[in-house]
């Protein structure tokens, strides 16, 4: 018996299928999806791999499998999915298989893992590229050190105990890496599982409103009849979508089946999970969340595998949870960009969900207050069944929205960040002892420094981007590679002392608020305050529990939370997302303004939203004032059709990067020429290779080719043909289908 094995490695030339002979004594254990250890090349240690095919003969001279492990194998249907994914998303099968394994399972010794909590967590100080380079160039020689680094690259929130047991290493190995500057060890108080709250009062089904009932009945039919059907629940914030999810899951459980609920990572809060625990009890619910330690995630995964779990709640990758007897998949906030992975494998969880739902003949339910344009388009064309909820379930009113024209403010001599209207509104809100959220449509990176005399700005040496100024540490940081340096006070080009600070970051806004309202308490939330040591949960709880007057923040304040005492939301500059180099800029602006407006007036008192903008006539901004999705859609879809953007086509981005500038351009041109050659039928609109908008990151030059077409097997073949024969050892080629970002 011969098996086809895929080696679990991200080394490019191992991304092939290798044949191995099966010794007679283990023939009975052979199954597709099983984990095996095999000899490979001149590697000293046996390599881990997975069986992806079984056959009788091989045309090669082959070696024997060394051992087979029944634990931590993968179901055969998942192997089929991994193969499909590797083709569709242009990546290694082993990268896809990793998504389907218990978190942390990358070495042999996991079964001996000591369960226990440690207060010490390990974080990487170097980037993935730096580490891979050091491993390839033998800067790191010790196998154990390599294992530690690879494990840390693959897993988040790793405690030292978990690290030692998962990688079969010792604290001495970890210490060495700390000395060499690869990692840092941080003491953290480990709380009990933050997502399990013991004092939850059980709830029962609410009586559904007519609208909810209609949605529920329709979807239940598909559950009863075991048929695949895709639904979109389009309902304003607070319209009772979650209550419908709860009752649908109840239906599925009655049939002795199970459910997966996907939520954007950032909305996966204890409050959110509590609602499910309150209805179904914690015993049958597993939560997969990157804030759990890798050990906890491993335990959750194992619990799911054991068959005792009936509901999985998690972020994007929870779609691969090994749950059996699946009866329903729900994707909440389906428009959220986090369902599309930016890392290898660059998959879209919605596409995986459709695949699974079709294969198992079960419904897929998407929910949103601001659906993805592509989703809504399919709903308009009948491919997705649309159910609408037009009213808030608890009868609170939608907030009123005002637009303030910042051009007029400027004309009236107001150069501050707050318009007079927003200033007075904050003042009134403080007097009324209500809370305010101020939302900045970007993070700190807009604060940069520039010489007034010669226009010099500080750029990162390794990446061609302007460095960001951080007030608290008085340092400059590169947000692409993490490089930091001292601030400059004298221009290195012309020696002028006239250094100016530009931009409106959250730090600057908070400082201005403190100056204008010295008596108010404030709290700030952005990518810099929400570091690994200080999660966004803590900030939001503090805001709510200590009744802090003003929360200043970025994108992160937009999601999920329910703050009954917030009656005012101010958007400082709505425009910044309008002019990003992306065909979705209007859509993103509309979504974010609508979502942030939804934060106001969720309690008894009604809410006010004030949106400041330089473009009051832009239709995305106008529609968000009216909170009218349909109007926005009708306008936006015309523009998409005219310019042939999704949903009227798919976009393929091929990114080529190399340390050598000329090599980058040369390879890009080669790929381009090959695509053109294959494109006689004109199925693909291919644009000439160009440097990417950010044309250098971490010392690698970046070029890209963009193509527009209907994605299909033919297109996959053409792209593969164009890249498979590229012989250039240091060139990296990434293919991204409908990428999140065009930068
Ligand atoms: P969404 O998920 O659309 O934001 P939720 O399901 O969270 O909406 O509902 C918003 C609020 O309305 C919640 O406090 C919820 O308990 C309440 N609610 C939902 N459905 C009903 C109902 N049928 N009757 C009474 N209250 C409801
Ligand atoms: Zn200068
Ligand atoms: Zn950099």
């Amino acid at each position: 018996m011969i098996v086809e094995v895929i080696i679990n490695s991200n080394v490019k030339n191992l991304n092939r299928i290798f044949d191995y002979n099966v010794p007679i004594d283990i023939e009975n254990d052979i199954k597709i999806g099983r984990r095996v250890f095999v000899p490979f090349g001149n590697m000293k240690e046996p390599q881990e791999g997975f069986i992806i095919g079984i056959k009788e003969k091989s045309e090669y001279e082959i070696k024997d499998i060394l051992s087979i492990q029944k634990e931590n194998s993968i179901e055969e249907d998942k192997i089929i999915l991994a193969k499909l994914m590797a083709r569709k998303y242009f990546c290694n099968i082993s990268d896809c298989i990793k998504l389907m394994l218990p978190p942390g399972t990358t070495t042999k010794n996991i079964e001996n893992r000591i369960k226990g909590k440690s207060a010490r967590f390990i974080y990487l100080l170097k980037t993935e590229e730096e580490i891979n380079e050091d491993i390839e160039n033998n800067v790191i020689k010790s196998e154990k050190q390599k294992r530690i680094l690879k494990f840390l690259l693959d897993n988040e929130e790793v405690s030292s105990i978990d690290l030692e047991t998962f990688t079969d290493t010792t604290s001495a190995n970890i210490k060495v890496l700390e000395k060499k500057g690869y990692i840092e060890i941080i003491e953290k108080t480990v709380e009990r599982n933050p997502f399990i709250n013991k004092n939850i009062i059980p709830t029962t089904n609410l009586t559904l409103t007519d609208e909810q009932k209609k949605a529920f009945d329709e979807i239940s039919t598909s559950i009863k009849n075991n048929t695949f059907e895709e639904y979109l629940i389009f309902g304003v914030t607070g319209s009772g979508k979650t209550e419908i999810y709860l009752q649908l899951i109840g239906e599925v459980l009655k049939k002795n089946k199970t459910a997966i609920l996907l939520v954007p990572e950032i909305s996966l809060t204890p409050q959110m999970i509590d609602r499910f625990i309150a209805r179904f009890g914690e015993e049958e619910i597993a939560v997969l969340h990157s804030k759990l330690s890798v050990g906890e995630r491993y335990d959750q995964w194992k619990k799911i595998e054991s068959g005792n779990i009936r509901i999985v709640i998690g972020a994007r990758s929870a779609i691969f949870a090994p749950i059996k007897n699946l009866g329903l998949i729900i994707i909440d906030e389906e428009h959220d960009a986090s369902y599309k992975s930016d890392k290898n494998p660059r998959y879209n969880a919605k596409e995986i969900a459709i695949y699974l739902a079709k294969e198992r003949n079960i419904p897929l339910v998407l929910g949103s207050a601001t659906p993805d344009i592509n989703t809504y388009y399919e709903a308009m064309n009948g491919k997705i069944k649309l159910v609408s909820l037009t009213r808030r379930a608890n009868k609170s009113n939608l907030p009123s929205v005002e637009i303030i024209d910042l051009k007029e403010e400027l004309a009236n001599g107001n150069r501050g960040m707050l318009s007079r209207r927003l200033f007075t509104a904050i003042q009134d809100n403080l007097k009324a002892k209500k809370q305010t959220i101020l939302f900045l449509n970007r993070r700190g990176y807009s604060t940069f420094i520039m010489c007034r005399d010669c226009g010099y700005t500080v750029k990162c040496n390794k990446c061609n981007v302007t460095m960001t100024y951080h007030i608290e540490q008085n340092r400059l940081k590169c947000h692409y590679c993490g490089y930091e340096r001292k601030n400059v006070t004298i221009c290195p080009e012309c020696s002028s002392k006239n250094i100016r600070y530009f931009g409106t970051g959250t730090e600057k806004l908070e400082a201005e608020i403190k100056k204008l309202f010295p008596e108010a308490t404030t709290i700030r939330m952005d990518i810099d305050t929400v570091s690994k040591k200080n999660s966004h949960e803590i900030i939001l709880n503090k805001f709510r529990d200590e009744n802090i007057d003003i929360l200043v923040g970025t994108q992160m304040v937009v999601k999920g939370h329910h703050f009954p005492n917030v009656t005012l939301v101010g958007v400082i500059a709505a425009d910044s997302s309008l002019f990003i180099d992306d065909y979705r800029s209007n859509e993103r602006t509309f979504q974010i303004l609508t979502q942030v407006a939804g934060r106001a007036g969720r309690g008894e008192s009604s809410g006010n939203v004030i949106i400041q903008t330089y473009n009051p006539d832009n239709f995305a901004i106008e529609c968000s004032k009216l909170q009218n999705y349909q109007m926005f859609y009708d306008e936006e879809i015309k523009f998409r059709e005219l310019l042939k953007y999704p949903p009227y086509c798919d976009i393929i981005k091929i990114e080529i990067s190399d340390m050598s500038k000329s090599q980058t351009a040369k390879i890009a041109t080669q790929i381009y020429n090959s695509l053109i050659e294959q494109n006689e039928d004109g199925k693909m609109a291919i644009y000439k290779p160009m440097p990417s908008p950010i044309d250098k990151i971490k010392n690698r030059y970046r070029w890209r080719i963009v193509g527009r077409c209907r994605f299909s097997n033919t297109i996959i073949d053409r792209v593969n043909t164009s890249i498979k024969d590229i012989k250039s050892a240091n060139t990296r080629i990434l293919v991204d289908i409908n990428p999140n970002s065009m930068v």
Side-chain angles (χ1 to χ4, degrees):
M1 185 193 263
I2 308 291
V3 286
E4 296 177 327
V5 170
I6 191 97
I7 309 281
N8 187 6
S9 160
N10 46 15
V11 178
K12 208 162 63 187
N13 57 12
L14 292 188
N15 184 33
R16 283 187 287 133
I17 296 164
F18 297 96
D19 290 353
Y20 283 90
N21 184 48
V22 180
I24 302 266
D25 57 318
I26 56 171
E27 261 187 9
N28 286 337
D29 292 336
I30 295 295
K31 231 177 105 181
I32 289 186
R34 286 253 158 106
R35 177 191 261 252
V36 291
F37 290 90
V38 295
F40 192 84
N42 47 13
M43 292 189 194
K44 270 185 258 138
E45 301 217 349
Q47 298 295 302
E48 178 199 72
F50 288 88
I51 300 176
I52 68 162
I54 301 173
K55 57 189 183 184
E56 284 310 316
K57 274 211 290 277
S58 173
E59 49 188 297
Y60 307 103
E61 199 178 307
I62 55 174
K63 295 181 183 160
D64 278 6
I65 289 182
L66 298 175
S67 63
I68 184 160
Q69 206 189 43
K70 286 185 224 166
E71 291 296 327
N72 299 309
S73 56
I74 301 175
E75 296 290 319
E76 182 166 354
D77 57 348
K78 287 286 167 67
I79 293 283
I80 295 170
L81 176 58
K83 281 188 187 167
L84 285 172
M85 284 176 69
R87 182 170 150 77
K88 175 159 186 193
Y89 302 116
F90 300 90
C91 60
N92 294 356
I93 299 181
S94 67
D95 286 339
C96 300
I97 286 178
K98 259 187 205 158
L99 291 165
M100 298 156 190
L101 285 171
T105 328
T106 52
T107 60
K108 296 169 262 181
N109 252 339
I110 29 122
E111 294 323 313
N112 309 328
R113 190 171 73 92
I114 309 156
K115 303 238 163 120
K117 309 245 158 153
S118 158
R120 293 160 64 231
F121 279 73
I122 317 293
Y123 297 99
L124 284 174
L125 288 174
K126 298 208 177 191
T127 64
E128 180 163 5
E129 274 158 27
E130 286 166 333
I131 289 168
N132 283 334
E133 247 159 56
D134 286 355
I135 290 178
E136 271 164 42
N137 300 332
N138 259 332
V139 178
I140 298 280
K141 288 193 198 73
S142 139
E143 286 299 326
K144 289 192 172 176
Q145 290 174 25
K146 283 186 200 166
R147 284 213 296 271
I148 291 175
L149 291 173
K150 283 187 181 155
F151 188 84
L152 290 169
L153 284 175
D154 283 341
N155 298 286
E156 288 173 72
E157 292 300 302
V158 180
S159 71
S160 57
I161 292 277
D162 281 344
L163 185 59
E164 288 165 35
T165 44
F166 275 103
T167 60
D168 191 17
T169 55
T170 64
S171 59
N173 303 129
I174 299 176
K175 280 266 161 52
V176 176
L177 285 170
E178 188 191 19
K179 271 219 193 84
K180 288 187 183 170
Y182 283 92
I183 56 173
E184 64 180 331
I185 303 174
I186 290 173
E187 293 281 335
K188 281 212 317 193
T189 22
V190 185
E191 291 160 33
R192 66 186 164 77
N193 186 343
F195 293 101
I196 302 295
N197 181 345
K198 299 285 172 210
N199 312 312
I200 296 172
I201 302 155
T203 61
T204 49
N205 287 353
L206 298 173
T207 310
L208 296 178
T209 63
D210 290 346
E211 283 185 333
Q212 282 174 317
K213 178 109 182 32
K214 195 163 160 275
F216 172 81
D217 286 344
E218 203 175 328
I219 302 167
S220 307
T221 321
S222 168
I223 295 175
K224 284 198 192 86
N225 299 343
N226 294 317
T227 47
F228 164 73
E229 195 73 65
E230 208 178 337
Y231 295 94
L232 169 63
I233 305 182
F234 167 43
V236 293
T237 46
S239 59
K241 294 186 289 297
T242 309
E243 182 61 32
I244 302 179
Y245 304 157
L246 284 160
Q247 301 203 14
L248 287 173
I249 292 174
E251 283 303 295
V252 171
L253 299 190
K254 271 191 222 151
K255 284 193 71 182
N256 265 325
K257 289 193 157 187
T258 62
I260 294 180
L261 168 66
L262 297 188
V263 206
E265 180 85 47
I266 204 160
S267 313
L268 207 50
T269 60
Q271 287 125 292
M272 196 257 137
I273 290 162
D274 285 356
R275 281 182 76 180
F276 287 82
I277 293 176
R279 193 70 53 94
F280 302 110
E282 69 174 77
E283 289 303 304
E284 306 196 328
I285 298 179
V287 180
L288 291 169
H289 187 289
S290 73
K291 288 279 154 30
L292 299 174
S293 77
V294 66
E296 282 171 319
R297 268 180 286 136
Y298 178 83
D299 293 343
Q300 295 281 321
W301 192 277
K302 284 292 172 188
K303 241 167 78 180
I304 301 170
E305 237 171 26
S306 74
N308 296 326
I309 291 293
R310 299 209 288 162
I311 305 166
V312 173
I313 305 177
R316 178 177 66 220
S317 60
I319 194 68
F320 300 107
I323 196 157
K324 293 180 186 92
N325 219 358
L326 191 61
L328 174 68
I329 304 173
I330 301 170
I331 304 185
D332 191 26
E333 310 217 40
E334 65 85 31
H335 63 276
D336 196 273
S338 71
Y339 291 122
K340 166 78 171 68
S341 171
D342 289 332
K343 293 192 303 203
N344 241 343
R346 294 173 155 66
Y347 67 96
N348 188 328
K350 270 198 262 178
E351 291 166 0
I352 309 291
I354 293 174
Y355 171 86
L356 291 175
K358 271 189 187 154
E359 197 196 47
R360 313 214 164 157
N361 291 315
I362 58 170
L364 166 63
V365 176
L366 309 173
S368 176
T370 53
D372 188 316
I373 291 285
N374 299 334
T375 308
Y376 202 71
Y377 174 78
E378 298 202 329
M380 292 291 101
N381 291 320
K383 204 175 150 212
I384 297 180
K385 288 203 170 146
L386 177 67
V387 282
S388 303
L389 307 174
T390 55
R391 287 179 291 276
R392 278 192 168 175
N394 62 0
K395 306 207 172 62
S396 71
N397 287 317
L398 285 168
S400 73
V401 185
E402 277 173 73
I403 306 282
I404 304 293
D405 186 350
L406 287 174
K407 292 194 303 281
E408 269 174 36
E409 289 291 314
L410 212 55
N412 288 320
N414 179 4
R415 298 185 161 272
M417 291 171 85
L418 302 185
S419 60
R420 288 154 303 167
R421 176 72 189 96
L422 183 52
F423 177 84
T424 340
I426 297 174
Q427 220 171 25
D428 293 346
N429 223 33
L430 286 170
K431 272 199 209 114
K433 300 249 174 309
K434 294 289 181 190
Q435 291 176 290
T436 301
I437 294 178
L438 294 179
F439 167 66
L440 202 71
N441 203 359
R442 51 182 152 182
R443 70 174 192 181
Y445 61 66
S446 41
T447 309
F448 62 100
I449 61 166
M450 188 186 208
C451 169
R452 283 188 183 201
D453 292 327
C454 75
Y456 170 84
T457 60
V458 183
K459 289 200 165 175
C460 172
N461 308 336
K462 296 193 219 164
C463 317
N464 214 356
V465 292
T466 308
M467 295 185 76
T468 304
Y469 176 64
H470 286 250
I471 300 180
E472 271 163 24
Q473 300 108 327
N474 188 30
R475 284 174 81 78
L476 297 165
K477 292 186 192 178
C478 169
H479 279 199
Y480 282 87
C481 73
Y483 171 72
E484 285 187 32
R485 54 165 290 171
K486 273 209 321 261
N487 188 22
V488 298
T489 48
I490 296 173
C491 173
E493 291 283 307
C494 74
S495 307
S496 158
K497 284 186 184 165
N498 248 334
I499 302 287
R500 198 184 146 177
Y501 296 81
F502 275 94
T504 44
T506 41
E507 290 181 58
K508 198 174 156 204
L509 176 59
E510 193 187 25
E512 189 158 328
I513 294 296
K514 281 186 170 148
K515 212 158 70 203
L516 291 172
F517 306 102
E519 73 289 2
T521 48
T522 63
I523 191 164
R524 176 165 64 90
M525 181 158 93
D526 56 25
I527 202 84
D528 302 309
T529 55
V530 183
S531 65
K532 52 205 165 195
K533 286 160 243 174
N534 195 354
S535 87
H536 88 289
E537 202 47 46
I538 297 173
I539 298 177
L540 292 178
N541 285 343
K542 195 167 148 121
F543 175 61
R544 189 191 49 212
D545 299 341
E546 298 178 18
N547 208 17
I548 306 248
D549 295 318
I550 302 172
L551 168 66
V552 172
T554 54
Q555 251 74 337
M556 297 174 191
V557 303
V558 175
K559 291 285 159 61
H561 283 256
H562 189 72
F563 301 111
N565 205 30
V566 171
T567 51
L568 174 65
V569 169
V571 178
I572 301 302
D575 316 84
S576 21
S577 59
L578 274 181
F579 301 113
I580 45 172
D581 172 21
D582 196 306
Y583 69 93
R584 282 157 300 198
S585 59
N586 281 318
E587 181 178 3
R588 298 259 159 91
T589 303
F590 177 80
Q591 278 165 353
I592 208 146
L593 292 179
T594 309
Q595 301 274 337
V596 77
R599 299 296 104 215
R602 303 263 283 192
E604 313 264 287
S605 345
S606 62
N608 277 312
V609 180
I610 296 178
I611 298 176
Q612 306 190 139
T613 173
Y614 289 99
N615 298 280
D617 302 330
N618 172 282
F619 79 94
I621 290 180
E622 269 183 347
C623 294
S624 54
K625 172 182 160 62
L626 302 171
Q627 301 199 32
N628 191 332
Y629 177 85
Q630 187 70 44
M631 192 170 136
F632 171 73
Y633 172 83
D634 289 342
E635 196 61 33
E636 177 70 14
I637 199 75
K638 280 189 237 158
F639 154 80
R640 300 276 177 101
E641 183 166 21
L642 195 70
L643 299 176
K644 286 278 171 298
Y645 278 123
Y648 295 95
C649 74
D650 294 296
I651 292 189
I652 298 185
K653 183 171 85 170
I654 304 175
E655 196 179 282
I656 300 101
S657 72
D658 195 289
M659 300 288 215
S660 146
K661 202 171 177 172
S662 57
Q663 186 69 0
T664 313
K666 191 180 131 200
I667 300 295
T669 311
Q670 254 177 40
I671 296 174
Y672 172 77
N673 288 340
S674 161
L675 286 172
I676 292 286
E677 225 169 81
Q678 301 176 69
N679 196 36
E680 264 171 13
D681 57 6
K683 274 200 172 141
M684 198 169 172
I686 312 159
Y687 301 91
K688 280 224 160 78
M690 280 206 298
S692 302
I694 296 170
D695 58 5
K696 189 172 137 193
I697 293 182
K698 291 172 198 152
N699 282 333
R700 300 185 76 90
Y701 292 89
R702 304 163 79 226
W703 278 53
R704 70 176 188 193
I705 301 166
V706 174
R708 284 198 245 174
C709 58
R710 272 275 164 237
F711 196 63
S712 66
N713 278 323
T714 320
I715 298 291
I716 295 178
D717 290 341
R718 288 183 190 178
V719 173
N720 267 327
T721 307
S722 76
I723 60 182
K724 77 169 189 289
D725 293 327
I726 301 286
K727 299 257 180 318
S728 176
N730 299 315
T731 310
R732 227 170 271 153
I733 301 166
L734 296 176
V735 183
D736 203 339
I737 309 302
N738 294 322
N740 269 336
S741 152
M742 295 304 289
V743 180

